[in-house]
């Protein structure tokens, strides 16, 4: 009955980051509809509203969000994101059009205990890409493109002789519509002793044009996913609820392109 007060998102300066034995979040728990527009197609998901953690004298945390609203994401001017210098020349251009984060707090104004965040990138094949000669609306081409993108994004990052990332893991297909499917997979950050207790990123990919796809990244904020069950469970529950709510309405022009691919390659599995 008093959980609204017990887990109010406020950090009291006298609480010097006490170790909580339970957490709750986000404070605004009711999921709301989100819509991203890609020409005549629309992508939907449900997620709670974000809220800051309040505090005095510089304590607390704000929400640094980016929302596309109802703008056509394929036509927008977004923040360009660049890869690391250790990777080979990249055949993908990436533009950030969405960012959000949700805070989980401890009881009685003990403040933030965990952060779950998400971002979305529009990934476009550039003029050097081998994928300009085929359509990402074909599932097998799309899977090869995702594998290529993962390799350039994570495969060359090393600490000495050791890789920093491991993956993709738990690769699965999720239906967004009767035609368009998404790929869901995990990347483990295993640097600095994290081989047995990695930090997790969960990724969702889905195509939006012949030569563009979307990458959604869910970041668990460094939570020890195999050792910190108290924090892992609520963050996982929020992540699963968002991914499970994802679906897409495919517009006529996009569907026509998909049908054209199917005429040439009837097996669209």
């Amino acid at each position: 009955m008093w959980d609204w007060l017990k887990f109010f998102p406020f950090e009291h300066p006298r609480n010097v980051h006490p170790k909580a034995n339970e957490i709750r979040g986000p404070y605004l728990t009711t999921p709301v509809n989100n819509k991203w527009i890609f020409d005549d197609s629309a992508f939907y998901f449900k997620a709670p509203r974000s809220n800051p953690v309040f505090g005095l004298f510089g304590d607390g945390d704000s929400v640094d969000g980016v929302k596309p609203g109802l703008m056509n994401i394929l036509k927008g001017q977004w923040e360009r994101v660049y890869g690391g210098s250790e990777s080979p020349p990249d055949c993908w251009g990436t533009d950030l059009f969405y960012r959000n984060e949700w805070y989980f707090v401890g009881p009685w104004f003990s403040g933030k205990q965990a952060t779950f965040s998400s971002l979305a990138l529009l990934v476009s094949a550039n003029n050097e890409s081998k994928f300009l000669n085929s359509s990402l609306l074909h599932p097998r081409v799309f899977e090869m493109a995702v594998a290529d993108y993962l390799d350039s994004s994570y495969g060359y990052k090393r600490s000495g002789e050791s890789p920093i990332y491991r993956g993709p893991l738990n690769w699965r297909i999720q239906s967004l519509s009767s035609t368009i499917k998404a790929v869901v997979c995990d990347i483990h950050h295993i640097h600095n002793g994290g081989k047995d207790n990695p930090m997790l990123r969960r990724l969702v990919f889905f195509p939006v044009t012949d030569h563009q796809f979307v990458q959604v990244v869910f970041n668990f904020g460094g939570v020890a996913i195999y050792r910190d069950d108290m924090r892992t469970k609520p963050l996982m529950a929020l992540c699963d609820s968002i991914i499970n709510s994802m679906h897409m309405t495919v517009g006529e022009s996009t569907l026509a392109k998909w049908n054209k691919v199917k005429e040439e390659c009837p097996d669209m599995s």
Side-chain angles (χ1 to χ4, degrees):
M1 179 178 179
W2 289 95
D3 280 359
W4 66 271
L5 177 60
K6 182 179 179 181
F7 293 98
F8 188 77
F10 182 86
E11 182 166 343
H12 196 284
R14 289 182 297 181
N15 293 321
V16 186
H17 304 292
K19 185 176 180 179
N21 56 11
E22 58 178 328
I23 64 171
R24 295 283 178 89
Y27 189 69
L28 305 171
T29 58
T30 303
V32 297
N33 290 318
N34 290 259
K35 179 181 181 180
W36 297 340
I37 297 173
F38 303 96
D39 282 346
D40 63 345
S41 297
F43 175 81
Y44 301 89
F45 66 95
K46 291 183 178 181
R49 290 185 174 89
S50 299
N51 60 270
V53 176
F54 303 100
L56 302 174
F57 312 112
D59 296 302
D61 294 272
S62 61
V63 176
D64 181 21
V66 175
K67 305 289 181 62
L70 296 180
M71 181 181 294
N72 182 355
I73 290 168
L74 300 181
K75 306 297 184 183
Q77 299 295 318
W78 311 109
E79 176 188 350
R80 177 54 59 102
V81 178
Y82 297 94
S85 59
E86 58 280 276
S87 302
D90 199 352
C91 64
W92 302 103
T94 52
D95 296 282
L96 187 148
F97 66 86
Y98 173 85
R99 182 172 60 233
N100 209 356
E101 55 193 349
W102 298 269
Y103 297 124
F104 291 72
V105 300
W108 303 119
F109 315 128
S110 54
K112 182 183 72 175
Q113 301 290 325
T115 304
F116 178 72
S117 63
S118 177
L119 61 85
L121 302 169
L122 178 64
V123 184
S124 307
N126 65 26
N127 292 332
E128 306 299 321
S129 175
K130 59 187 177 183
F131 292 98
L132 288 179
N133 299 320
S134 53
S135 174
L136 297 178
L137 296 175
H138 190 287
R140 296 180 197 173
V141 175
F142 176 59
E143 287 186 339
M144 288 189 291
V146 171
D148 182 83
Y149 176 78
L150 287 171
D151 183 53
S152 63
S153 299
Y154 296 101
Y156 294 87
K157 292 180 170 58
R158 308 184 73 84
S159 176
E161 297 298 320
S162 301
I164 294 177
Y165 295 100
R166 177 175 62 202
L169 303 169
N170 304 318
W171 182 284
R172 63 182 175 88
I173 307 302
Q174 175 159 322
S175 178
L176 299 179
S177 72
S178 60
T179 54
I180 303 297
K181 315 298 179 186
V183 165
V184 183
C185 65
D186 292 344
I187 296 292
H188 285 179
H189 187 290
I190 59 174
H191 183 44
N192 288 336
K195 186 175 181 180
D196 296 323
N197 189 41
M199 292 182 287
L200 173 64
R201 292 182 186 178
R202 182 154 292 165
L203 312 179
V204 179
F205 300 92
F206 58 93
V208 289
T209 72
D210 284 323
H211 305 125
Q212 294 172 293
F213 63 87
V214 170
Q215 177 194 20
V216 185
V217 181
F218 295 102
N219 196 316
F220 289 75
V223 168
I225 58 173
Y226 295 142
R227 297 181 183 175
D228 192 344
D229 198 50
M230 180 192 71
R231 288 172 174 79
T232 300
K233 281 187 174 181
L235 270 64
M236 284 286 190
L238 177 55
C239 182
D240 289 344
S241 70
I242 295 174
I243 293 176
N244 291 338
S245 73
M246 292 177 173
H247 63 283
M248 195 169 185
T249 59
V250 180
E252 291 184 4
S253 64
T254 304
L255 183 59
K257 294 176 182 177
W258 187 91
N259 284 327
K260 182 179 179 181
V261 173
K262 187 178 181 181
E263 289 177 2
E264 300 174 358
C265 308
D267 183 5
M268 295 293 278
S269 61

